[in-house]
Amino acid sequence: MCKLRQVYAVCNYNFCQWHKNPRIFITFSLAFILCYLLSEKAVGFAEEYGTTMQLVEAFVWTFGDATNIMLSSLLLILLFADMPFVGVGTPFYLMRINRAIWAWGQIIYIMLATVLYITFILVVTSLICADNSFVGNMWSETAAMLGYSGLGEMVALASSVKTMEMSYPYECMAFIFLLMILYTLLMVLIMLVVNLRKGQFWGTVSVFAFSLYGLLLNPQMFKQIFGLSDQLMYKANLAVGWLSPLNHATYYMHNFGYDLLPRLWQTCVIFIGLITMCFFLILNSMRKYNFNFTGSEI
């Protein structure tokens, strides 16, 4: 219990640093603007055709898209730019606890902050369309028009017929929410591992490399570059679905009984395995991390 209290103290200390911190304000303000811009397509479509939306449909259509997931996750670079969070109070904590406990405090803080950030995105996206929405757990007329008529592709919304056929809005929202958390958490933990081993500059580079890797693994890009046939496109789509973390985080890029893409539970197992690996790398790197308190006001 004593160690749990110490982990909680380190985590709570990091959250206390949010008070009057401009980076926190900027991060969540940019997230709000991003949600507004991305969800405007769905909201504008409903207004144009005079239809209503289910409360979480704007979130489902907006963040069922891989590019939008990547853009929202990149904002966390601002939130976690100063990892591993060496501040004025760090020397006092390290005098009373060991490095492993301090590292677990950072990990728990990162996990909670990530969940809070994704929750903020969900709430904001839902509020944007709240005036023209209902709360019942059924797809709206807007969703039917986007999914079955192909209008979703015209307005660049990630609508999918199999999404509506295989799930209900809140169930779909819950899976997308979970996938976003797992993808974003993996990205941030990779950033922390590289920060501890190579420094903050290379940690930031690792985030962009991680995002670029997922973005470039796109079957449509392969088709344009190599002129792949439909059969090869199917194989490329399967390979990308398994190899790209960004596609693992995309809801409709999963197996719903039609193909050999990863199932949702398999994606969760893969993400959890990679996140657990990051935990061990963080704890191992923390043993050799050279704390520099030069200029701290102790």
Side-chain angles (χ1 to χ4, degrees):
M1 289 301 295
C2 179
K3 291 184 179 180
L4 289 177
R5 286 196 296 269
Q6 291 173 342
V7 170
Y8 168 78
V10 175
C11 177
N12 183 64
Y13 173 77
N14 287 330
F15 275 112
C16 289
Q17 302 308 303
W18 284 26
H19 182 62
K20 295 183 179 181
N21 188 331
R23 284 191 300 103
I24 306 302
F25 175 78
I26 293 173
T27 300
F28 282 91
S29 296
L30 290 177
F32 178 87
I33 295 172
L34 181 67
C35 290
Y36 178 80
L37 294 176
L38 295 179
S39 61
E40 182 63 23
K41 294 178 182 178
V43 176
F45 181 88
E47 292 178 350
E48 180 180 354
Y49 286 88
T51 56
T52 60
M53 299 178 62
Q54 207 279 341
L55 184 63
V56 298
E57 277 182 356
F59 177 81
V60 169
W61 302 137
T62 301
F63 294 101
D65 180 75
T67 303
N68 294 344
I69 294 173
M70 183 194 69
L71 290 175
S72 63
S73 65
L74 286 176
L75 289 179
L76 284 180
I77 295 177
L78 294 174
L79 191 64
F80 299 126
D82 56 344
M83 288 192 299
F85 314 114
V86 177
V88 175
T90 303
F92 297 101
Y93 279 99
L94 292 176
M95 289 173 60
R96 294 166 173 81
I97 60 177
N98 58 45
R99 292 188 174 210
I101 293 176
W102 187 81
W104 274 113
Q106 310 303 324
I107 291 172
I108 298 300
Y109 162 72
I110 290 172
M111 294 175 65
L112 293 177
T114 300
V115 172
L116 179 62
Y117 174 78
I118 303 299
T119 302
F120 176 81
I121 288 178
L122 170 60
V123 172
V124 168
T125 309
S126 300
L127 289 177
I128 288 173
C129 67
D131 289 341
N132 187 34
S133 64
F134 59 91
V135 297
N137 193 22
M138 59 182 293
W139 296 109
S140 68
E141 184 181 356
T142 304
M145 292 177 64
L146 288 172
Y148 289 97
S149 68
L151 291 174
E153 297 181 2
M154 296 175 59
V155 294
L157 291 173
S159 57
S160 172
V161 174
K162 65 182 179 181
T163 298
M164 293 184 287
E165 291 179 343
M166 302 301 294
S167 63
Y168 290 97
Y170 289 119
E171 177 189 356
C172 186
M173 176 273 292
F175 278 120
I176 293 176
F177 182 80
L178 176 61
L179 292 174
M180 287 183 67
I181 288 177
L182 292 174
Y183 171 81
T184 307
L185 184 59
L186 175 62
M187 182 197 74
V188 174
L189 290 177
I190 290 175
M191 181 180 177
L192 177 56
V193 171
V194 179
N195 277 8
L196 292 172
R197 292 176 175 249
K198 299 295 183 179
Q200 292 181 349
F201 171 78
W202 290 109
T204 303
V205 171
S206 70
V207 170
F208 286 105
F210 179 79
S211 302
L212 187 62
Y213 167 74
L215 187 64
L216 292 179
L217 283 181
N218 188 322
Q220 296 301 324
M221 184 177 297
F222 291 158
K223 183 178 182 179
Q224 293 176 1
I225 296 176
F226 301 108
L228 301 179
S229 63
D230 291 340
Q231 183 178 5
L232 291 177
M233 271 295 295
Y234 174 74
K235 295 181 179 180
N237 191 60
L238 291 180
V240 166
W242 282 97
L243 295 175
S244 170
L246 188 56
N247 281 285
H248 274 288
T250 307
Y251 182 74
Y252 70 87
M253 287 294 293
H254 287 85
N255 184 353
F256 294 94
Y258 299 107
D259 45 44
L260 298 176
L261 288 169
R263 294 185 179 273
L264 288 168
W265 71 266
Q266 291 173 323
T267 285
C268 292
V269 170
I270 292 172
F271 271 130
I272 291 173
L274 293 174
I275 289 170
T276 303
M277 186 185 302
C278 287
F279 287 168
F280 286 107
L281 290 174
I282 291 169
L283 294 173
N284 182 64
S285 301
M286 191 60 66
R287 298 175 184 174
K288 304 175 183 179
Y289 183 71
N290 183 25
F291 288 93
N292 183 4
F293 302 116
T294 303
S296 297
E297 298 176 4
I298 303 177

